[in-house]
Amino acid sequence: MSEAAMTQTDMDVAIQLIGMHKWYGEFHVLKDINLTVERGEKIVVCGPSGSGKSTMIRCINRLEEHQQGQIIVDGIELTNDVKKIDEIRREVGMVFQHFNLFPHLTVLENCTLAPIWVRKTPKAEAEETAMKFLERVKIPEQALKYPGQLSGGQQQRVAIARSLCMNPRIMLFDEPTSALDPEMISEVLDTMISLAEEGMTMICVTHEMGFAKTVADRVIFMDAGEIIEQAPPTEFFENPQSERTQLFLSQILHNG
Amino acid sequence: MAIVKTERHEDLPPPASQTGVIGWMRENLFSSPLNALLTVVSLYVIWWAVSGIVSYAFINANFVGETREDCTGTGACWVFIKARFGQIMYGFYPVEERWRVDIGYVLAAIGLFLVLSDVVKNKKWPAVYMFVFVPVVCYFLFYGGSFGLEVVETSQWGGLFLTLVLASVSIFVALPLGIVLALGRRSSMPIVRMLCVGFIEFVRGVPLITVLFMASVMLPLFLPEGMNFDKLIRALVGMSLFSAAYMAEVVRGGLQAIPKGQMEAAKSLGLGYWQAMGLIILPQALKIAIPSIVNTFIGLFKDTTLVLIIGLLDLLSIVKAGTTDKEWVGMATEGYVFVAAVFWVFCFGMSRYSIWLENKLHTGHKR
């Protein structure tokens, strides 16, 4: 997979992980990860808990540090160079399991903070952009409330809008619906689906297999720190190759 | 067969049985024989204490007069405080120069009002005024030596004026320094972390009295001949560093209460370390820490009285000195009660302000 990817031009490749390893102390969490994500591609990452899915996507915007191998995002290789890290973080949006909205700021201020301070956008312009994205996630009327006054689903949609305000070229989703009540999951997934339809490059760690089937170009299955299998969703769900994938799928589809 | 409820239940007002004064008293004061007994006993204790204080401090007290002879001895003799009022307020600051201190008070009061109250929304200019303009102007006003103002040596400063100078300088230095120390203690750079931990643990491990004593007695031994800091400056440095160490731990407590996800979200949006700290982490951490920060301020304010041991005449020491005056023998109670009352007013004020601030900053995420 990685060899084929390397022959492609930089323009087509959004993210490239080459022989990436990571350890937490003595514990080897990610083992020889090779992954190429093309521009506009939607990838769903699944696997049992503790398999390193979140750690992998957190390495892509350097919330976690990798110790071996290469990570190239948007043509920039991630090293200890703080400038490059900041450059990549500006282009890569992230949505977290627990939303991580800033509770002391209003919804609107949450959305305008980074554009104003990082991109130096004038305040009025930043607010206009923020309102545009809040309308897209269908909660413009909550703009002046504080995150603590919103429901979980609304908070997650604000978090998505907050990321979009930076005009990222890549979006990472780290189990965006896992902390939500069941009746709020669909409102967040709808937002993500519409984002995917617009051609955003997305990597999404999720257990929502329905989402994977509708949206994903490729599904990646991880276990014990390794990428075990990757395939287009139809193939992945109907004809999984590895035993571990089959076991995992039988477990989650049984419950779902 | 399914059981289905077709009509919605209407919203009803809460039951009214326990409202009204009688209902409240029955519920809260006389709900059982023991409770009733406790209520009666407590009321008696309150009446006894309050009536005693009122008759001592007001009804039987002396307010009129100039000298010891005007004290009748039936209650407090506030004539003592009145006669010494100037000294209690300003120490030995020359009488004809005391207007300079008063102007300083007015400037600082305006600044405090602008910074602390709700009147001005954008705090940038009030902050510049309060933390840059007022300190500089007050330095030149109080010490003099330029703009045609006569020099007033710090050894002449005293009373409430000195107490306020000590407290406000220490507070203004301790909070920012404490924040820096707290961030340093959580830093990923080992040398910075070690320095901060070392400083905090050393300073917290010794009593303030020792710090002051070292600053005033031992420091000159280490300095080259002829080089000498002002006694007040040494006390200020000692107190500021001492309270900064405490403040650092208070701020660290606040920082630890902020979930890791906040920093991660800030980073993922491209904010740098200082932006994330200044815009996201510290505003929340300091808000959580407000009660403890004010607690430290109050402790610090009262600890200023310890400068007594290095010979500075703050509010407490100057009153104490007054009570040893042979013309006013036996006035110690009045003196100390007055000092206590002044301290209480300031500390209670700080406490109420912190409660108000907490409510104002509450944004509904804490349920």
Side-chain angles (χ1 to χ4, degrees):
Chain A
M1 186 70 213
S2 68
E3 274 171 36
M6 265 187 279
T7 58
Q8 288 173 317
T9 60
D10 274 358
M11 286 306 289
D12 303 328
V13 179
I15 302 168
Q16 205 169 10
L17 310 182
I18 305 165
M20 195 257 280
H21 289 260
K22 175 171 176 60
W23 287 263
Y24 282 130
E26 291 286 302
F27 179 54
H28 200 170
V29 263
L30 293 177
K31 298 167 189 163
D32 192 30
I33 302 288
N34 289 290
L35 175 68
T36 302
V37 181
E38 284 170 39
R39 244 178 236 308
E41 213 181 352
K42 289 101 189 115
I43 307 256
V44 164
V45 184
C46 60
S49 69
S51 60
K53 326 175 284 278
S54 292
T55 311
M56 182 182 78
I57 72 163
R58 287 158 59 88
C59 282
I60 293 170
N61 65 354
R62 196 65 167 194
L63 289 182
E64 305 281 354
E65 214 171 305
H66 64 288
Q67 277 100 28
Q68 230 179 69
Q70 280 180 297
I71 300 179
I72 302 163
V73 182
D74 231 13
I76 307 167
E77 185 178 351
L78 265 175
T79 56
N80 280 323
D81 186 345
V82 179
K83 266 194 177 160
K84 285 189 175 165
I85 294 173
D86 284 343
E87 213 173 307
I88 286 173
R89 283 177 181 161
R90 283 197 288 270
E91 304 306 326
V92 180
M94 185 157 197
V95 175
F96 299 86
Q97 180 177 3
H98 296 287
F99 332 134
N100 296 353
L101 292 176
F102 306 132
H104 62 305
L105 301 175
T106 62
V107 165
L108 188 63
E109 287 167 337
N110 263 279
C111 293
T112 57
L113 184 94
I116 289 174
W117 289 88
V118 179
R119 293 232 193 262
K120 312 291 176 207
T121 316
K123 194 177 170 205
E125 198 186 317
E127 284 181 352
E128 206 177 303
T129 317
M131 286 313 293
K132 192 182 87 193
F133 283 115
L134 286 175
E135 260 158 53
R136 267 209 49 188
V137 300
K138 302 193 178 69
I139 34 175
E141 71 283 0
Q142 313 284 8
L144 298 179
K145 286 195 185 165
Y146 286 96
Q149 296 165 308
L150 306 185
S151 73
Q154 289 173 325
Q155 289 193 43
Q156 193 61 297
R157 284 184 284 155
V158 172
I160 294 174
R162 177 176 73 176
S163 286
L164 293 177
C165 283
M166 286 293 281
N167 287 317
R169 311 221 261 180
I170 299 163
M171 285 287 283
L172 308 174
F173 293 85
D174 188 1
E175 306 206 24
T177 54
S178 302
L180 296 176
D181 290 336
E183 73 266 29
M184 292 171 184
I185 290 177
S186 68
E187 65 188 55
V188 171
L189 289 181
D190 287 345
T191 310
M192 290 166 63
I193 290 169
S194 84
L195 201 58
E197 282 164 356
E198 280 171 31
M200 175 72 78
T201 310
M202 289 164 66
I203 302 187
C204 186
V205 174
T206 185
H207 294 130
E208 294 296 329
M209 291 305 135
F211 175 78
K213 280 176 192 161
T214 19
V215 170
D217 296 311
R218 229 184 323 155
V219 181
I220 289 179
F221 174 71
M222 288 181 75
D223 189 23
E226 289 178 278
I227 295 182
I228 304 291
E229 187 161 348
Q230 37 182 317
T234 37
E235 214 179 303
F236 180 84
F237 289 110
E238 280 159 28
N239 190 18
Q241 300 296 312
S242 104
E243 243 174 72
R244 280 192 272 181
T245 317
Q246 289 161 7
L247 179 68
F248 175 74
L249 284 177
S250 74
Q251 280 165 342
I252 59 161
L253 295 179
H254 188 71
N255 291 332
Chain B
M1 213 180 102
I3 301 170
V4 180
K5 195 166 183 185
T6 51
E7 276 173 38
R8 280 179 174 272
H9 197 296
E10 60 183 313
D11 291 343
L12 299 174
S17 63
Q18 280 148 16
T19 53
V21 180
I22 304 288
W24 181 86
M25 281 173 69
R26 184 171 291 164
E27 176 71 13
N28 293 291
L29 300 180
F30 303 104
S31 59
S32 69
L34 179 65
N35 196 343
L37 183 70
L38 285 175
T39 300
V40 172
V41 170
S42 309
L43 282 177
Y44 175 74
V45 170
I46 292 171
W47 177 80
W48 175 78
V50 170
S51 67
I53 291 171
V54 168
S55 78
Y56 167 79
F58 299 105
I59 298 173
N60 296 325
N62 306 108
F63 293 95
V64 191
E66 303 288 316
T67 62
R68 184 80 170 81
E69 278 65 56
D70 295 310
C71 297
T72 53
T74 47
C77 184
W78 301 121
V79 178
F80 166 62
I81 303 294
K82 212 169 82 179
R84 298 220 157 228
F85 194 72
Q87 217 181 65
I88 292 173
M89 288 294 122
Y90 303 95
F92 298 104
Y93 210 91
V95 178
E96 60 279 8
E97 301 293 332
R98 283 178 185 167
W99 60 270
R100 284 153 56 175
V101 175
D102 295 336
I103 289 183
Y105 283 163
V106 172
L107 292 177
I110 293 171
L112 277 180
F113 178 74
L114 292 176
V115 171
L116 300 182
S117 79
D118 243 354
V119 180
V120 187
K121 291 285 173 226
N122 185 345
K123 299 289 188 199
K124 190 178 156 203
W125 290 111
V128 170
Y129 168 82
M130 187 65 209
F131 301 115
V132 180
F133 177 78
V134 171
V136 171
V137 170
C138 281
Y139 170 78
F140 285 111
L141 265 178
F142 296 166
Y143 186 71
S146 41
F147 305 110
L149 293 173
E150 202 182 305
V151 172
V152 181
E153 291 297 339
T154 54
S155 54
Q156 289 173 282
W157 300 16
L160 181 63
F161 167 54
L162 183 68
T163 297
L164 291 177
V165 167
L166 281 166
S168 39
V169 172
S170 315
I171 285 174
F172 282 167
V173 175
L175 185 56
L177 191 59
I179 292 173
V180 171
L181 283 170
L183 294 179
R185 188 165 191 168
R186 288 164 58 91
S187 162
S188 54
M189 291 175 274
I191 304 289
V192 173
R193 192 172 57 230
M194 263 165 51
L195 273 175
C196 293
V197 172
F199 175 83
I200 293 169
E201 294 304 338
F202 173 72
V203 174
R204 282 205 309 162
V206 289
L208 177 56
I209 279 208
T210 327
V211 174
L212 288 174
F213 217 67
M214 274 178 7
S216 83
V217 180
M218 283 174 64
L219 194 66
L221 299 179
F222 295 111
L223 290 174
E225 194 75 31
M227 190 182 163
N228 202 4
F229 288 117
D230 190 276
K231 209 193 306 185
L232 177 61
I233 305 241
R234 279 183 272 154
L236 282 174
V237 170
M239 293 212 51
S240 303
L241 295 183
F242 185 81
S243 28
Y246 277 87
M247 197 55 73
E249 288 300 279
V250 167
V251 173
R252 190 168 69 100
L255 288 171
Q256 268 167 351
I258 307 300
K260 230 175 87 206
Q262 292 288 309
M263 192 56 165
E264 288 176 352
K267 279 183 179 173
S268 77
L269 287 167
L271 294 168
Y273 174 82
W274 291 107
Q275 284 179 332
M277 271 298 161
L279 297 166
I280 307 299
I281 309 296
L282 278 176
Q284 296 182 60
L286 293 180
K287 188 177 83 182
I288 294 174
I290 286 172
S292 318
I293 289 175
V294 174
N295 195 26
T296 311
F297 282 170
I298 289 176
L300 169 63
F301 187 72
K302 292 186 291 189
D303 280 350
T304 57
T305 50
L306 288 174
V307 297
L308 173 92
I309 63 137
I310 59 168
L312 289 173
L313 292 171
D314 76 316
L315 177 61
L316 182 64
S317 355
I318 210 140
V319 169
K320 188 171 183 290
T323 60
T324 56
D325 184 340
K326 65 176 186 303
E327 288 195 21
W328 292 98
V329 173
M331 288 292 128
T333 317
E334 283 82 351
Y336 290 132
V337 167
F338 178 75
V339 172
V342 172
F343 272 102
W344 182 81
V345 166
F346 279 96
C347 295
F348 186 66
M350 284 194 254
S351 161
R352 298 309 300 181
Y353 177 73
S354 96
I355 292 172
W356 176 82
L357 192 63
E358 272 174 71
N359 287 334
K360 192 185 87 156
L361 296 178
H362 181 69
T363 55
H365 60 282
K366 222 173 5 178
R367 278 183 224 188

